[in-house]
Amino acid sequence: MKSLLEISRPRLRSGAAAMVLVSAALACGVVEHPHPQQAVDHSNDFGPLAGAATIPAAAGGPSPTGGTFNNPGVGGAAGSFGFAGQGGSGTPLPSAGAGGASPGAAGASPGAAGAPSSGVTITLGGVNVPKEKAIAFIHIGHSNMYGEASTPFSSRAYHYTETNPHGYMYKVGSSPTLCKEPTAGGPGAGPGTALVKEAIALAPDYYFISLGYGQPSAYCSQFVPGGLYYDDLIAASKAIKGRVTFGAIFIYLGITERHGTAADVNGFPDCINTLVSAIRKDVGEPNLPALMNDYEVEASGEFVVGGAVYNAIYPQIQKTPSVVSNFALVSAATLAMQDDHHFNFDGQRTWAQRALKTMKDKGWFPWAP
C-alpha cells in the first residue's frame, strides 16, 4: 500500500506556467528548470581556517587525534586519486606514500614525511583537517536514499544519535556538522550515516563527509543535468570542491524507473552513465568510483523477483557496469527490509558495509591501513 502512496515530491512552483512544467515533468520525466535557481551563499560554510596551509611541510605536524600525520599519499591536485582503470579496471596507481610522485599531482609526493601534498585544509568540528584526510562521499537516489528506515528501534541510535568525531555531513548554507540521519532529506534513515561510520571503522585516521541527496519515487532522468533535481544534488559537492578528496559516488536507482516511460527503463544504463559522467565532470574527478544498488531482490508484492517490475528493469541494471567506467553493483540480497521495497536500519548498514568492501576489493579505498 505504501508504494501507491509514495509519489514524487517536486519543489513547489507557482503560476500557470509552473503547472505546465510540472505536467511535462510527469509525462516525460525530464524538464528544464523554469527559472535559474538563486544561489545559496556558502562563503562562510567552512570556517576561518578553511584553505589555510597551517600544517608544516616537514614531518611532525600535529594530528587532529594526537601524534603525527601518516598520510599514505592518496591525494593529488584538486583531491584527485589519479586512478588507473579507464574503462573500469579499478586498479589504482602506485601510492605516493612510498616517496614516489603523487598520483594525479603535478608536484612532489607527500612521501614518508607524512605532510599533506596540497597544504589545503578544511575546518571540521574546530579541527584544521588536510584535504587529503577529508574524504567526501556523494550519495544520491530514490526513497531508500532519501531515507525511509525507522525500524528496528534497537538500531536507531547508530543512525540518529551516536555520532563519531571523524564523521560529518554537509549541506550548502551551513557548516559541516557531525553526521547523523537524516543525511539525504528524511524523514527516516538512508545509507549516509552508515557509509561514513563504516568508512571510519576501516580508516580511523581519516575524516569522512556525507554529501547526500534523495527524492522519493524519482528516477534516473530526473537526476541528470536539465532534469528536476541535478542542481540540488550537485550543490554541496560543487561548494566543497577543492577542500576535500572525493571518495566515491553511491547511487540508489533502478526500481523507480517504473514511474517513467519505456524509454526510461530501456535507456537506464545510458542514463546512469550520463549522471555519473556529469558528477565526475563537476567535481573534477573523471575516474571517481561509482557504486549502485543491484535490484532489491528481497522486495515483495509488485516488486518480487520474477514480477513485471523486476523483469523490466533487472536486465538493464545488469548492463550498467559495462556502460559506466569504474562502476560496480552492490548486492541487495538478504538485506533486512522495512516494507515491500524499503531497507530498514540494519539493511542500510549492511548495504553500506558491502559497498565499502567492494571499494576495498577493487582498490578504490586507499585510506585503510
Side-chain angles (χ1 to χ4, degrees):
M1 179 61 100
K2 182 167 185 174
S3 64
L4 296 176
L5 297 176
E6 183 192 38
I7 59 173
S8 296
R9 307 172 199 176
R11 290 162 298 187
L12 296 177
R13 303 179 177 90
S14 61
M19 292 300 296
V20 173
L21 286 164
V22 171
S23 298
L26 294 174
C28 304
V30 178
V31 61
E32 295 284 338
H33 288 296
H35 53 75
Q37 292 181 302
Q38 184 174 358
V40 177
D41 181 10
H42 58 79
S43 58
N44 295 317
D45 287 2
F46 306 108
L49 298 179
T54 60
I55 306 301
S63 164
T65 56
T68 58
F69 285 118
N70 182 25
N71 189 332
V74 301
S80 171
F81 296 150
F83 277 119
Q86 294 284 354
S89 72
T91 304
L93 292 175
S95 168
S102 172
S109 158
S117 63
S118 65
V120 175
T121 64
I122 182 171
T123 304
L124 297 173
V127 177
N128 204 22
V129 180
K131 178 177 74 173
E132 291 75 21
K133 282 190 168 270
I135 314 302
F137 288 157
I138 302 167
H139 53 101
I140 58 175
H142 54 43
S143 56
N144 263 320
M145 182 63 69
Y146 180 72
E148 297 286 348
S150 60
T151 61
F153 181 80
S154 59
S155 300
R156 180 180 176 82
Y158 173 90
H159 298 270
Y160 276 92
T161 60
E162 296 171 355
T163 58
N164 187 296
H166 279 225
Y168 283 80
M169 57 191 291
Y170 171 62
K171 304 294 182 184
V172 175
S174 61
S175 300
T177 57
L178 288 171
C179 189
K180 57 185 178 180
E181 293 300 325
T183 55
T193 296
L195 284 167
V196 165
K197 292 176 75 171
E198 296 300 322
I200 295 168
L202 295 173
D205 290 337
Y206 287 80
Y207 288 71
F208 291 86
I209 305 167
S210 155
L211 307 176
Y213 183 83
Q215 281 291 336
S217 295
Y219 43 99
C220 181
S221 62
Q222 294 178 316
F223 285 101
V224 299
L228 285 170
Y229 304 123
Y230 186 78
D231 289 350
D232 289 336
L233 74 86
I234 201 64
S237 300
K238 292 174 75 171
I240 207 169
K241 178 182 176 181
R243 295 175 171 91
V244 297
T245 297
F246 289 102
I249 305 165
F250 299 94
I251 300 170
Y252 276 169
L253 282 175
I255 201 169
T256 47
E257 298 305 299
R258 72 190 190 279
H259 294 303
T261 66
D264 286 303
V265 174
N266 296 327
F268 182 71
D270 289 331
C271 184
I272 293 294
N273 188 45
T274 297
L275 174 59
V276 169
S277 297
I279 294 171
R280 287 170 172 169
K281 180 179 179 180
D282 274 336
V283 301
E285 295 290 351
N287 298 314
L288 186 63
L291 301 95
M292 186 178 77
N293 61 296
D294 206 334
Y295 189 83
E296 291 95 321
V297 292
E298 302 304 327
S300 58
E302 67 173 306
F303 311 104
V304 70
V305 171
V309 173
Y310 172 89
N311 289 338
I313 195 60
Y314 178 78
Q316 303 303 326
I317 292 174
Q318 303 312 303
K319 292 177 185 176
T320 310
S322 66
V323 175
V324 188
S325 65
N326 285 349
F327 183 90
L329 295 175
V330 179
S331 173
T334 73
L335 291 189
M337 304 296 289
Q338 177 150 313
D339 53 37
D340 61 354
H341 66 296
H342 293 117
F343 310 144
N344 70 9
F345 287 146
D346 297 336
Q348 293 284 16
R349 184 175 181 178
T350 300
W351 190 89
Q353 292 169 337
R354 289 178 182 175
L356 294 170
K357 183 180 186 302
T358 300
M359 289 184 69
K360 284 193 67 177
D361 291 346
K362 288 183 170 291
W364 295 343
F365 197 94
W367 311 287

